[in-house]
Amino acid sequence: MQNHQLIRKIKELRQIKPTEEWVFLTKERILKRRAHPETVSFSSVFSFLFQPIRKPIFAIAPLVVLAAVLGGFFVYNIVEQGSGNQETNIIASLERLEKNLSQITADLNGLKTAKDPNQALVMTEIVKATAKQGEEIVSLIKSTTKFKPNHVLASLNGVGEAYKELEEEVNNTQVEMIKDYIEYLKQTSLTDEDQKRLEKVEEYYNEGKYIDAMILIQKIEIN
Amino acid sequence: MKNPKKRFSRLYDKYVEKIYRFVLLKVESQEVAEDLTSQVFTKAWDKFRIPDNPNRNKIKNPTAYIYQIARAEIANHHRQKSKFQLISTELGQIVDSQPNLEEKQQIQAEIKDLRSSLTKLNDDYQNVIIWRYLDDFSYKKIAEIMEKPEGTIRVMVHRALKELKEKMSI
């Protein structure tokens, strides 16, 4: 094989790319990061939970993150300690998770009527990720603890289901918010470029590509 | 002083795909690549945004800087994991323009073979190939990143290609 043929093959590796969603969300998360977040070296399941949000416009994130952090801390203790303390710690974790769940649900309701729809959309992704983390914590508790009385297992399953339902509710809320925002933007004056973006956003929305719609809608500037 | 958020944003937009690809070609999974790439830019952002950071405006060569962080993160990751480099067979998302499924599968198979051969080269050879042919960097730019003379880089690229051909047995 000649060099130029090999080089052509090498250039095929350019097709390896991250997803647009990951690129967008990672940037948002990094830019919202506080100076020196207090982190604890838990497993990567909990790593997302330690991202405090600087502008609590909706008075959501600090409480949610704090609750999730504490939930994670309890799980850590469960894993590390012997079975004698496990039931107590599982119950304590469940209480935290349930409290967290109530807080996230309340915050999600707040987002639906937020003044800045653009920011609210971004926040729904964070709420969704927090809900997913809640599910993962429940799974982790179930998989790492040996002793689980029936009533505790039933509670764990219940909380796990509740987080799944919450995640679905966030998805539905996002779809609704995107639709409302599109209608709102249609009433505002936009540049030609943004007008085209809006048409594309609507196209994505109609095709069910909500993440693509959400990413593109962030680029539209309201005059 | 320029807005650090805008400066970082430009850096991020320009390099995120390149850094992600650079990292993914050297680690064991897409998840690890995402984590490490995120850490690279988090560290870069930490440097940009701290108001009293005396080094804030001393990043003369952003390209060299961001790859320096990436290389350090990858090295750190391998040190912490195992001495055996387990390179994943998964490649994450491959965005290609081939509508034909058979062609797409063929390309994916070729990419996997090539990637496997690439990882058998030493680190420097891998890097010069990635920078020269995937990122389209000039020899001068690569020389700045590696802090070596341009002539040395040209020789390295030539030797890296030769060795890659041998690894691919073609």
Side-chain angles (χ1 to χ4, degrees):
Chain A
M1 183 182 276
Q2 302 292 322
N3 269 5
H4 70 271
Q5 290 169 313
L6 176 57
I7 289 166
R8 197 164 59 231
K9 275 193 179 300
I10 292 170
K11 288 186 177 181
E12 282 172 2
L13 291 172
R14 281 182 185 171
Q15 294 176 59
I16 298 172
K17 291 183 186 194
T19 62
E20 272 192 33
E21 181 188 10
W22 177 86
V23 168
F24 171 74
L25 290 174
T26 301
K27 187 178 178 181
E28 289 289 307
R29 187 168 52 76
I30 291 172
L31 287 174
K32 285 182 162 88
R33 194 168 167 272
R34 196 179 285 165
H36 295 289
E38 286 172 14
T39 58
V40 184
S41 53
F42 295 153
S43 74
S44 61
V45 166
F46 306 122
S47 64
F48 177 84
L49 302 176
F50 301 94
Q51 300 294 333
I53 295 169
R54 271 193 299 165
K55 287 187 186 176
I57 295 168
F58 309 105
I60 301 166
L63 288 173
V64 168
V65 172
L66 181 63
V69 166
L70 292 174
F73 180 75
F74 273 99
V75 173
Y76 176 74
N77 278 335
I78 289 166
V79 171
E80 290 299 305
Q81 292 180 15
S83 59
N85 291 321
Q86 273 189 3
E87 187 177 347
T88 310
N89 286 335
I90 291 174
I91 291 167
S93 283
L94 271 171
E95 284 169 5
R96 290 273 177 201
L97 283 166
E98 280 167 347
K99 191 177 169 187
N100 192 16
L101 184 63
S102 304
Q103 182 65 58
I104 298 172
T105 308
D107 294 340
L108 183 62
N109 290 332
L111 280 176
K112 290 173 188 171
T113 53
K115 284 181 186 168
D116 186 338
N118 210 343
Q119 286 239 3
L121 267 175
V122 173
M123 291 298 290
T124 55
E125 275 298 302
I126 295 170
V127 172
K128 194 182 347 180
T130 311
K132 268 191 188 152
Q133 293 296 331
E135 275 180 73
E136 282 171 11
I137 290 171
V138 170
S139 295
L140 189 63
I141 294 173
K142 281 159 81 171
S143 65
T144 53
T145 51
K146 292 175 191 171
F147 170 66
K148 285 187 287 287
N150 284 341
H151 65 281
V152 170
L153 188 59
S155 296
L156 270 172
N157 288 336
V159 169
E161 281 303 313
Y163 270 101
K164 268 192 199 150
E165 282 166 16
L166 174 63
E167 199 190 323
E168 185 158 334
E169 196 189 332
V170 175
N171 283 332
N172 294 339
T173 302
Q174 275 184 331
V175 172
E176 204 180 315
M177 284 169 78
I178 293 170
K179 185 182 169 202
D180 290 344
Y181 197 29
I182 289 172
E183 294 308 315
Y184 168 72
L185 285 172
K186 279 179 176 175
Q187 309 301 320
T188 58
S189 70
L190 302 172
T191 61
D192 288 342
E193 203 180 338
D194 279 343
Q195 189 58 47
K196 283 180 189 162
R197 283 190 182 121
L198 182 59
E199 284 163 17
K200 191 69 189 170
V201 167
E202 200 166 15
E203 201 183 298
Y204 280 145
Y205 174 82
N206 291 332
E207 287 171 5
K209 295 178 181 174
Y210 303 120
I211 297 293
D212 292 332
M214 209 164 74
I215 290 171
L216 190 55
I217 215 169
Q218 301 291 321
K219 296 183 181 175
I220 297 174
E221 288 183 23
I222 303 170
N223 297 324
Chain B
M1 186 179 296
K2 277 187 186 172
N3 185 330
K5 219 171 191 175
K6 276 187 184 167
R7 283 184 68 206
F8 172 79
S9 222
R10 272 201 298 273
L11 182 80
Y12 182 91
D13 292 343
K14 192 174 175 186
Y15 289 108
V16 66
E17 267 186 28
K18 292 179 164 56
I19 295 291
Y20 172 84
R21 186 169 48 230
F22 181 79
V23 173
L24 184 59
L25 287 171
K26 292 166 183 285
V27 299
E28 63 267 28
S29 73
Q30 185 184 339
E31 286 75 25
V32 171
E34 286 176 352
D35 276 350
L36 292 185
T37 306
S38 175
Q39 279 169 38
V40 167
F41 285 100
T42 300
K43 288 192 174 179
W45 174 228
D46 280 346
K47 197 136 190 151
F48 271 81
R49 67 178 158 85
I50 299 169
D52 298 327
N53 183 355
N55 295 321
R56 194 177 175 188
N57 287 320
K58 287 187 182 172
I59 304 170
K60 302 284 180 199
N61 188 335
T63 311
Y65 175 66
I66 202 81
Y67 274 104
Q68 194 178 48
I69 304 177
R71 288 161 79 191
E73 288 299 310
I74 292 167
N76 198 35
H77 170 75
H78 287 313
R79 261 197 305 275
Q80 283 179 0
K81 290 293 169 187
S82 137
K83 60 181 178 177
F84 300 105
Q85 281 199 22
L86 298 173
I87 304 297
S88 169
T89 52
E90 53 173 285
L91 287 169
Q93 173 175 277
I94 293 184
V95 179
D96 68 276
S97 55
Q98 302 294 332
N100 183 301
L101 182 63
E102 201 178 311
E103 282 177 350
K104 186 175 172 179
Q105 283 175 342
Q106 193 189 339
I107 286 172
Q108 292 205 350
E110 284 177 0
I111 286 177
K112 280 187 179 173
D113 283 341
L114 174 60
R115 183 165 172 262
S116 174
S117 302
L118 187 65
T119 54
K120 290 174 187 166
L121 304 181
N122 71 44
D123 204 43
D124 279 351
Y125 279 7
Q126 284 183 44
N127 292 344
V128 297
I129 285 183
I130 291 170
W131 288 329
R132 180 76 186 137
Y133 299 118
L134 293 183
D135 295 346
D136 265 341
F137 289 168
S138 63
Y139 290 114
K140 184 181 172 198
K141 198 160 188 170
I142 299 172
E144 283 168 4
I145 297 172
M146 296 186 80
E147 293 176 334
K148 292 183 193 299
E150 197 176 316
T152 306
I153 299 302
R154 286 177 183 272
V155 169
M156 278 179 78
V157 170
H158 176 75
R159 286 179 182 167
L161 275 180
K162 188 179 170 195
E163 200 172 304
L164 182 61
K165 253 197 273 187
E166 284 164 12
K167 299 288 180 202
M168 290 175 76
S169 305
I170 46 174

